[in-house]
Amino acid sequence: MPSHLETLLSVNLRLLNPKVTNRYRRKAINGPQLTKKLVAQLLLNLFIFLLMYGLLFSQLDLSKLPGVFGFYSFEFIFMSLSQGMLGIYNIFFANNSKDLLMLPFLQREIFLSKVITVAMNVIPYTLPLLLQFFLTSWRSGINFWISIVLALVLYILISIVTLLSCTVFIFLMLKIKLFAKHAMTLIYTLITLSSAALIAGIFVIDNQKRDSFSMTLPLFQMVQNPFAVENLINWILLLAFLGLLVLLVERLVLPNINENIILSKNLKCRKQRKTINLRDSLKNYNWQLLKEPNVLFQIFGKSIIIPLIYIFSFGFSKIPTNLSSEFFGVFVVSGIVLSLVTTTSSSLFSIIISLDRGNFSMIRSLPISIKGYLKIKFIFAYLIQIIINSILIVIFSIVLKINLIMMCAMFIGSLLGSYLVGLAYFREDYKNRVENWNNIDELFNRNGGSLRKILLLLCNIFFGSAIIIVYGLLISSFPNQKFINTIAFIISSGSSFGIWRYYMVNFWNRLQL
C-alpha cells in the first residue's frame, strides 16, 4: 500500500503533465501503471535533455575555463532560484490546497510533496549544471564513475539548497505585515529586478571576457579537485548551510503550513468594473483575467527572461554593425524567429480562453457572436505579445548596436511571426480548454510541462539561428543579392499564407457566428 507521500506525489505527477496523462488514460492506463509510465516519460525526457546539453558543452573543456564554468553555473543557479521562488509561492499561496487539510496527511508530507513538485518543474532549467559538474570533473582527470557520483551529489545538494532557500525566504517574508499584504507584487518585483540585473550582467560579461568570472569559483574547485583540503572545507560549509536550512524549515515553515495553505484562499482577482459598451466591457474583462495570481508575471517572465538568458548564454550576441540594406530580409526573418522563441505555451495565446474558467460556457449560451468574442480575445493576446517582442527588439538593438532600419525589419518579422504562431496556440487552447483549474501552472503544463518547453525553445533557437546564418551567408557570398531576397520573400510569403489559410479553414470558419 503506497504511503501518503507517494499518493500526493502521484497526484502531483499527473497535474505536472496533463497532456501525457490524458493520452495514457485514453489507452486505459490508470493507477500505479499510469504513475510508472509518467515516471518513465519524465526520465526519458531528462535523458534527451542531457544529450542535447551534452552536445552544447562537449565543445568546451570547462576544466581549463574556470571563468566560463562560473558564468554558466551562476546563470543556471539563478534560474533555479527565480523559478523555485515563483514555484514555491505559486504552489503554496496561489493554489487551492485547503482540501488537503481535511485529509489524513501530515504537514511534513504535504510540504515534501509540494517542494518535490516544484523541483520537477525547476530541473529542466538547471540540468546543464549536472552536465557541467560531470564534464569538468572528468576532464580534470578524475575517474569516470567517481565524476558521475560527484556531479550527482553536488547537483542534488545545490538543488535542495536553492529550493529550501526560496522556501525559507518566502515564509519568513510573509511574517512581515507589509510583505504579507502585498506578497504577490513584492515577489514579482524582486524576481523582475534580479532578472534584469542578471541580464544586464550577461551583457556586460559577454562584452568583456567570460574567463574573468569568479563568483562561483568554489564550485569549480569542488568538482576539479574535490579531495583537496580547502575544497573539503567547501563541502563541509555547503552541508552545514543545508543543515541550517533544514532546521529553519523544521522550526519556521512546517509548524505554520496549515495557516499558509488557508492564506492561499484569500488570493483572488479584483472585481470587474462595469462599462456600457460590450466591446469595451470585454476588453476590460480580459485585463481583469491577467490579475489572476502569477499570470502576468509568468507570461512576461518566461517570454522575456528565459529566452534572453538562453540566447546570450550560448553566444548569439555578435552581429556586424555595418550591414547594408540587402540584409533587411535577414532581420525580418530574425523577427519571425524571435516570435517562435517568445510565443510559446507560456504565452497569453495558449491560456487566454481557459482563463475564463466556467464563464466561457456561460458566454456561449448568450446571444452574442462567439467568433467575435474569440477575435477580441485573440487581438488582446496579440497586442500583449507585440509589447513583449517590442521590448526584446529594443533591448537587442541597443545592446547589439543594430541600426533603426534593421530594428524596424525585426519588428515587421515579429508582427508576422507572433500572429502565425499565436493562431496555433490559440486554437490549441480552444480545443483543450480547462474550466475547473486551480493553479495557473495546470494551464501552462497542458502541452508537456517544463521539459517540453525548454526542448522546444532550444530547437527554435538552434534551427532559427541556422536559418538566419545561412540566409546571411547567402547574402554575403552571392553577388545577385536581390535574387536571394526575392526567393526568401516568396518562400516566407507562401509559407505564411499557407499557415494563415489553414487556420482560417480549420478553425475560424468553423466557429459559430
Side-chain angles (χ1 to χ4, degrees):
M1 183 175 178
S3 67
H4 290 163
L5 180 59
E6 289 175 343
T7 302
L8 287 168
L9 285 175
S10 65
V11 172
N12 287 330
L13 193 61
R14 285 156 173 75
L15 295 176
L16 189 67
N17 198 342
K19 188 173 183 178
V20 176
T21 301
N22 291 333
R23 188 173 73 236
Y24 283 131
R25 281 174 173 166
R26 284 194 293 268
K27 297 179 181 178
I29 299 175
N30 293 289
Q33 189 180 5
L34 175 59
T35 301
K36 291 178 181 178
K37 288 281 187 180
L38 292 173
V39 171
Q41 181 73 43
L42 180 64
L43 293 176
L44 176 63
N45 290 339
L46 290 175
F47 178 72
I48 294 172
F49 259 69
L50 281 174
L51 288 179
M52 288 187 61
Y53 285 125
L55 293 174
L56 291 171
F57 285 116
S58 63
Q59 309 301 318
L60 297 172
D61 186 355
L62 294 174
S63 64
K64 298 177 181 178
L65 300 168
V68 176
F69 174 94
F71 173 80
Y72 285 124
S73 296
F74 174 76
E75 196 171 280
F76 291 116
I77 288 174
F78 173 84
M79 279 202 282
S80 175
L81 285 168
S82 62
Q83 294 298 314
M85 192 178 298
L86 188 61
I88 292 291
Y89 178 76
N90 195 24
I91 203 165
F92 278 101
F93 303 104
N95 189 19
N96 184 6
S97 302
K98 192 176 180 181
D99 292 341
L100 291 176
L101 303 180
M102 307 299 295
L103 300 174
F105 295 141
L106 299 176
Q107 292 175 338
R108 188 184 303 274
E109 292 171 335
I110 295 173
F111 175 79
L112 285 176
S113 68
K114 286 178 174 289
V115 170
I116 292 173
T117 302
V118 174
M120 287 190 288
N121 264 324
V122 171
I123 282 175
Y125 297 97
T126 61
L127 205 56
L129 275 176
L130 175 61
L131 203 59
Q132 269 186 240
F133 295 157
F134 165 69
L135 289 175
T136 303
S137 180
W138 184 36
R139 289 179 174 176
S140 296
I142 298 175
N143 178 272
F144 178 83
W145 296 109
I146 294 178
S147 297
I148 290 179
V149 174
L150 184 68
L152 278 171
V153 170
L154 185 57
Y155 176 73
I156 292 171
L157 285 176
I158 294 294
S159 299
I160 295 174
V161 164
T162 53
L163 283 175
L164 291 185
S165 298
C166 294
T167 305
V168 171
F169 174 78
I170 291 175
F171 276 76
L172 282 176
M173 288 298 100
L174 285 171
K175 291 183 177 295
I176 302 172
K177 289 184 179 180
L178 177 64
F179 189 93
K181 187 176 181 180
H182 305 285
M184 273 191 296
T185 303
L186 292 175
I187 285 178
Y188 295 165
T189 302
L190 179 64
I191 296 177
T192 302
L193 291 176
S194 57
S195 299
L198 173 68
I199 294 168
I202 292 174
F203 293 154
V204 172
I205 294 169
D206 199 65
N207 289 326
Q208 298 173 359
K209 289 186 177 179
R210 294 185 181 183
D211 291 347
S212 62
F213 193 87
S214 58
M215 187 176 292
T216 53
L217 187 60
L219 283 179
F220 176 78
Q221 295 169 339
M222 289 167 68
V223 295
Q224 188 191 43
N225 191 9
F227 305 112
V229 175
E230 61 272 18
N231 294 330
L232 287 175
I233 294 174
N234 289 332
W235 281 95
I236 293 171
L237 290 174
L238 180 61
L239 289 172
F241 184 58
L242 175 59
L244 175 63
L245 289 172
V246 171
L247 182 63
L248 289 173
V249 168
E250 289 277 355
R251 298 289 178 85
L252 301 176
V253 176
L254 291 181
N256 301 313
I257 198 156
N258 288 353
E259 175 186 340
N260 289 310
I261 287 177
I262 294 172
L263 176 64
S264 69
K265 290 289 289 180
N266 297 326
L267 297 173
K268 297 180 181 180
C269 292
R270 298 175 186 175
K271 295 181 179 180
Q272 301 173 33
R273 292 177 297 172
K274 294 183 179 180
T275 53
I276 300 173
N277 182 273
L278 178 61
R279 179 176 291 270
D280 291 339
S281 180
L282 291 176
K283 289 178 182 178
N284 181 65
Y285 169 67
N286 287 324
W287 277 113
Q288 297 298 323
L289 292 176
L290 295 185
K291 295 176 183 176
E292 283 279 354
N294 282 328
V295 173
L296 197 58
F297 180 81
Q298 291 226 39
I299 291 169
F300 275 86
K302 292 186 177 180
S303 295
I304 295 178
I305 297 169
I306 301 300
L308 271 180
I309 289 173
Y310 271 93
I311 289 170
F312 283 92
S313 295
F314 296 110
F316 303 102
S317 56
K318 298 293 183 290
I319 296 175
T321 57
N322 57 341
L323 297 174
S324 62
S325 59
E326 281 77 11
F327 283 87
F328 187 88
V330 177
F331 280 85
V332 172
V333 174
S334 299
I336 296 174
V337 171
L338 177 66
S339 300
L340 289 172
V341 173
T342 59
T343 311
T344 65
S345 56
S346 295
S347 66
L348 186 57
F349 284 116
S350 66
I351 63 168
I352 191 168
I353 300 175
S354 294
L355 284 178
D356 282 350
R357 297 182 188 265
N359 290 342
F360 185 77
S361 296
M362 180 194 70
I363 290 170
R364 295 188 72 171
S365 65
L366 298 177
I368 63 174
S369 168
I370 192 65
K371 187 174 182 179
Y373 174 73
L374 289 178
K375 280 186 176 180
I376 291 174
K377 296 186 81 68
F378 180 85
I379 292 171
F380 179 78
Y382 180 63
L383 291 175
I384 295 293
Q385 192 61 46
I386 291 302
I387 292 172
I388 291 172
N389 289 348
S390 299
I391 293 171
L392 282 171
I393 290 171
V394 170
I395 292 174
F396 280 128
S397 301
I398 293 172
V399 174
L400 306 181
K401 299 178 181 178
I402 299 172
N403 63 49
L404 183 60
I405 295 176
M406 299 308 171
M407 184 177 76
C408 292
M410 286 189 71
F411 183 72
I412 292 170
S414 74
L415 288 175
L416 176 62
S418 298
Y419 177 77
L420 296 176
V421 180
L423 287 172
Y425 282 111
F426 191 78
R427 189 184 78 152
E428 189 74 16
D429 186 33
Y430 179 80
K431 289 174 61 180
N432 301 314
R433 64 186 178 275
V434 179
E435 298 184 356
N436 59 344
W437 52 273
N438 293 318
N439 190 311
I440 192 65
D441 282 338
E442 293 177 31
L443 300 183
F444 287 126
N445 290 333
R446 280 177 300 170
N447 295 314
S450 297
L451 285 167
R452 184 177 180 273
K453 290 177 189 176
I454 301 297
L455 179 62
L456 188 60
L457 175 64
L458 289 174
C459 289
N460 286 336
I461 291 174
F462 178 78
F463 290 109
S465 299
I467 292 171
I468 294 169
I469 291 169
V470 170
Y471 189 6
L473 289 175
L474 288 174
I475 293 294
S476 303
S477 305
F478 285 84
N480 195 346
Q481 297 168 334
K482 290 184 179 179
F483 175 75
I484 300 297
N485 281 324
T486 302
I487 295 298
F489 176 77
I490 292 172
I491 293 174
S492 58
S493 298
S495 302
S496 300
F497 178 78
I499 294 171
W500 174 81
R501 182 63 181 168
Y502 173 83
Y503 285 105
M504 287 299 108
V505 172
N506 293 283
F507 176 60
W508 290 106
N509 291 346
R510 293 185 179 183
L511 293 172
Q512 298 176 358
L513 296 177

